[in-house]
């Protein structure tokens, strides 16, 4: 006695049985290895998936528990661990970090008795703007000045921020023409100095709203 | 094949471009069907949840491999879900004979998808199933939907495993010949 299936080639049968799902585990793994490396076999499997797809209508729709999407997204798109209250500037810096140049120099121009002055240059990739920053711990003063790039466009201002490591950004005011000197009690290593473009006079909310332009991370002296 | 109306395929295409909003939309459009699929095969809610999580992870990572010319979007998604759920099932340590718990997860009568699915294609497959003898068609359908192994089937029909295997292979081959006729 002979029925058509007796002559089904082994590869074809394996593809059909893989899709049907009846194979034992070891043979399924063998079929999956073939799918990965053998385009001809992969096509056989795809053909069988389409042939048997009409049966898919037999699967009922059952809503999964509501929290499942969050679990999946949490696994695929892990958020950096930081409170949201720190504002968007942290998020911007996270993407910015790769291009922030750590440009810290500890100068020895002061008399050896005082703590060292910290200087940094705030830069950004593809960004003509450069801001020089000098912090004098003895005077508790941060001095910043635009050293390259255009002035802020009409109706806008550059706003300076300090972002202590792991904390929210704090506005240090706007940077206009010439040197701007702001009182600053401390500039610890790990802090970030950043400039955003804000409405004239600076962000009215005290939270950065405009684009992040240039930044520098203060390194260890 | 023309896919003029396949919103799932469109969403997969956007997911391939790392579009998270599209991923979320795809989840809302397909998760109930895929959960139903995994649940039917695994018969365990917790494991079906884990399976769906893995399935959507694979979808996010492999969406670029989807080819809308080769399969409808939902067909591709269900294939991923079935393959993963069946692999999980087969990897389980051998336990007592699988119970026939299909009654807990009843078949669904043909619904909107069957109507959306290119009608001629679905009709032809259904017609070809009708040419098989009912026992063989039933075994193929039960194996496909429930993830039954040859072992399960031979026990259930009380025939030797290899007899069951060649019997089902012949059914599949007849189905293919009918579809290609």
């Amino acid at each position: 006695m002979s029925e058509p299936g007796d002559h089904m080639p082994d590869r074809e049968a394996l593809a059909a049985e893989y899709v049907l799902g009846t194979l034992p585990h070891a043979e399924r793994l063998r079929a999956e290895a073939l799918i990965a490396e053998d385009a001809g076999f992969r096509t056989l499997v795809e053909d069988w998936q389409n042939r048997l797809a009409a049966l898919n209508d037999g699967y009922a729709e059952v809503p999964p528990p509501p929290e499942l999407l969050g679990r999946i997204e949490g696994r695929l798109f892990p958020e950096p661990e930081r409170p949201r209250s720190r504002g968007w500037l942290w998020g911007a810096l996270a993407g910015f970090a790769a291009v922030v140049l750590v440009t810290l120099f500890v100068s020895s121009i002061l008399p050896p008795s005082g703590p060292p002055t910290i200087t940094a240059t705030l830069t950004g990739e593809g960004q003509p703007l450069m801001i020089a920053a000098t912090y004098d711990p003895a005077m508790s003063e941060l001095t910043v000045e635009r050293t390259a790039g255009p002035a802020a466009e009409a109706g806008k201002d550059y706003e300076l921020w300090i972002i202590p490591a792991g904390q929210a950004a704090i506005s240090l005011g706007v940077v206009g023409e010439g040197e701007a000197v702001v009182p600053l009690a401390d500039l610890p290593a790990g802090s970030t100095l950043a400039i955003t473009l804000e409405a004239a006079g600076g962000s009215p909310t005290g939270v950065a709203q405009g684009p992040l332009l240039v930044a520098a991370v203060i390194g260890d002296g | 094949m023309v896919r003029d109306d396949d919103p799932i395929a469109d969403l997969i295409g956007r997911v391939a471009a790392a579009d998270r909003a599209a991923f979320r939309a795809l989840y809302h459009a397909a998760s109930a069907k895929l959960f139903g699929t995994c649940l039917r095969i695994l018969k365990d809610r917790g494991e079906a949840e884990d399976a769906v999580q893995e399935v959507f992870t694979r979808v996010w990572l492999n969406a670029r491999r989807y080819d809308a010319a080769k399969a409808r979007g939902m067909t591709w998604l269900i294939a991923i879900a079935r393959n993963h759920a069946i692999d999980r099932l087969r990897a389980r340590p051998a336990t007592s004979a699988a119970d026939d718990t299909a009654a807990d997860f009843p078949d669904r009568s043909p619904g909107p998808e069957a109507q959306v699915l290119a009608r001629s294609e679905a009709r032809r497959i259904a017609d070809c199933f009708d040419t098989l003898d009912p026992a063989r068609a039933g075994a193929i359908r039960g194996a496909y939907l429930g993830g039954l192994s040859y072992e399960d089937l031979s026990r259930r029909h009380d025939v030797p495993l290899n007899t069951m295997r060649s019997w089902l292979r012949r059914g599949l081959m007849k189905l293919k010949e009918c579809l290609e006729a």
Side-chain angles (χ1 to χ4, degrees):
Chain A
M1 80 180 199
S2 172
E3 288 193 66
D6 293 343
H7 305 294
M8 182 148 61
D10 280 351
R11 277 161 62 86
E12 175 87 44
L14 184 66
E17 292 175 311
Y18 176 75
V19 174
L20 186 61
T22 44
L23 294 172
H25 197 223
E27 288 189 61
R28 281 188 68 78
L29 296 180
R30 189 164 70 90
E32 281 164 10
L34 273 177
I35 290 168
E37 69 199 22
D38 182 336
F41 184 74
R42 188 157 58 238
T43 299
L44 291 176
V45 168
E46 287 164 355
D47 288 346
W48 275 104
Q49 279 170 357
N50 284 327
R51 275 183 204 118
L52 296 179
L55 293 174
N56 289 338
D57 213 44
Y59 287 119
E61 296 200 8
V62 183
E67 72 275 10
L68 189 59
L69 175 61
R71 268 167 60 192
I72 292 168
E73 289 185 325
R75 182 187 189 192
L76 286 174
F77 320 123
E79 295 287 328
E81 290 196 13
R82 53 188 159 74
R84 294 196 170 185
S85 61
R86 284 175 196 156
W88 78 269
L89 200 50
W90 269 105
L93 280 167
F96 202 72
V99 297
V100 171
L101 297 177
V102 178
T103 50
L104 168 74
F105 305 99
V106 178
S107 72
S108 53
I109 52 172
L110 283 182
S113 58
T117 299
I118 298 169
T119 66
T121 304
L122 283 61
T123 58
E125 191 178 39
Q127 176 54 251
L129 181 67
M130 289 177 78
I131 303 281
T134 305
Y135 180 61
D136 181 353
M139 302 292 289
S140 292
E141 279 180 351
L142 178 69
T143 304
V144 294
E145 185 177 12
R146 178 167 55 89
T147 53
E153 61 203 72
K156 302 274 186 180
D157 266 322
Y158 294 133
E159 188 164 6
L160 174 68
W161 305 83
I162 179 172
I163 311 162
Q167 294 177 38
I170 300 161
S171 175
L172 296 178
V174 299
V175 179
E177 293 301 308
E179 287 188 345
V181 179
V182 295
L184 185 64
D186 194 15
L187 184 61
S191 303
T192 300
L193 293 174
I195 295 281
T196 62
L197 184 65
E198 302 288 351
S203 166
T205 64
V207 175
Q209 295 180 326
L212 175 63
L213 300 178
V214 293
V217 179
I218 305 305
D220 287 310
Chain B
M1 260 180 273
V2 180
R3 313 278 178 198
D4 49 354
D5 181 26
D6 190 348
I8 299 281
D10 294 341
L11 287 174
I12 297 169
R14 287 168 54 199
V15 169
D19 181 336
R20 291 190 193 181
F23 180 76
R24 186 168 275 219
L26 183 66
Y27 180 89
H28 288 304
S31 58
K33 185 73 176 181
L34 301 184
F35 188 56
T37 299
C38 292
L39 195 57
R40 176 76 184 269
I41 292 168
L42 293 164
K43 298 176 175 63
D44 178 282
R45 280 191 75 92
E47 213 181 339
E49 287 171 25
D50 290 348
V52 167
Q53 176 166 333
E54 178 63 29
V55 166
F56 275 97
T57 301
R58 292 184 185 186
V59 167
W60 175 257
L61 298 175
N62 295 332
R64 270 172 298 181
R65 296 195 200 160
Y66 171 67
D67 182 349
K70 287 184 177 172
R72 292 185 64 83
M74 190 55 100
T75 300
W76 187 73
L77 293 175
I78 291 176
I80 293 173
R82 286 188 70 251
N83 288 337
H84 178 63
I86 293 169
D87 281 345
R88 269 177 180 265
L89 191 63
R90 296 284 173 274
R92 274 183 193 166
T95 52
S96 56
D99 293 328
D100 185 1
T101 49
D104 298 340
F105 303 96
D107 280 6
R108 215 190 65 167
S109 52
E113 271 137 70
Q115 293 154 24
V116 170
L117 189 69
R119 227 161 252 182
S120 57
E121 220 173 306
R123 188 69 256 157
R124 228 152 56 83
I125 293 171
D127 287 347
C128 284
F129 259 92
D130 289 344
T131 67
L132 301 179
D133 74 77
R136 220 179 300 221
I140 288 175
R141 186 180 161 81
Y144 181 91
L145 289 176
L148 300 178
S149 66
Y150 280 130
E151 218 180 335
D152 300 329
L153 289 164
S154 71
R155 205 180 296 120
R156 182 174 298 188
H157 292 264
D158 198 23
V159 293
L161 192 146
N162 282 335
T163 305
M164 174 54 67
R165 187 167 190 168
S166 54
W167 187 69
L168 270 196
R169 279 189 175 195
R170 284 196 290 272
L172 290 167
M173 196 62 195
K174 276 187 176 172
L175 192 62
K176 185 186 174 198
E177 285 171 355
C178 173
L179 288 167
E180 287 175 353

